[in-house]
């Protein structure tokens, strides 16, 4: 019984460790969304260009913006319709995952 408990605890610990390692090392939108250790941070961008049509009305934008600390970041996100050229957006992000965005006046 004791050996079985040790084996189960070892498997659980190894699984949790692998999941943690995966979400910390892999910079993927899904991994960033799930990882509680990736901090949320606002990125400010100015809409430049028309974006790429994805079909069914979705438009994908890849823009370079700045964090509140002045660090430059490239972000990719989608919108349900084309955005206004020159609009300033605040994007709520977790590394590569864009949680939400809104137009702001600066």
């Amino acid at each position: 019984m004791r050996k079985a408990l040790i084996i189960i605890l070892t498997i659980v610990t190894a699984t949790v460790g692998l999941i943690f390692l995966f979400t910390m090392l892999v910079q993927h939108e899904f991994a960033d969304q799930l990882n509680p250790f990736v901090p949320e941070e606002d990125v400010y961008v100015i809409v430049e260009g028309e974006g790429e049509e994805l079909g069914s009305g979705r438009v994908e934008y890849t823009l370079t913006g700045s964090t509140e600390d002045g660090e430059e970041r490239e972000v990719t996100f989608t919108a349900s319709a084309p955005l206004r050229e020159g609009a300033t957006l605040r994007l709520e992000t977790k590394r590569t995952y864009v949680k939400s965005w809104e137009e702001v006046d600066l």
Side-chain angles (χ1 to χ4, degrees):
M1 182 67 151
R2 185 177 168 109
K3 284 185 181 182
L5 184 61
I6 291 174
I7 291 172
I8 290 171
L9 286 176
T10 303
I11 291 172
V12 168
T13 303
T15 302
V16 169
L18 287 174
I19 291 171
F20 174 76
L21 187 64
F22 171 77
T23 58
M24 286 305 290
L25 296 179
V26 175
Q27 288 193 9
H28 185 270
E29 189 174 347
F30 184 68
D32 291 343
Q33 178 183 3
L34 296 178
N35 190 339
F37 300 106
V38 173
E40 290 188 12
E41 146 177 79
D42 291 338
V43 177
Y44 294 87
V45 298
I46 297 175
V47 177
E48 299 170 346
E50 297 178 7
E52 180 183 338
E53 290 283 333
L54 297 178
S56 69
R58 306 279 315 158
V59 182
E60 181 179 73
Y61 292 90
T62 299
L63 303 169
T64 301
S66 297
T67 65
E68 293 178 346
D69 298 333
E71 174 188 336
E72 277 196 3
R73 292 244 324 262
E74 184 175 89
V75 290
T76 300
F77 64 99
T78 61
S80 58
L83 299 173
R84 183 175 57 85
E85 181 82 22
T88 302
L89 306 177
R90 180 183 64 84
L91 289 81
E92 194 175 331
T93 67
K94 283 183 76 175
R95 200 164 34 187
T96 60
Y97 172 65
V98 177
K99 185 174 178 181
S100 66
W101 61 265
E102 68 177 339
E103 187 171 343
V104 295
D105 294 322
L106 294 180

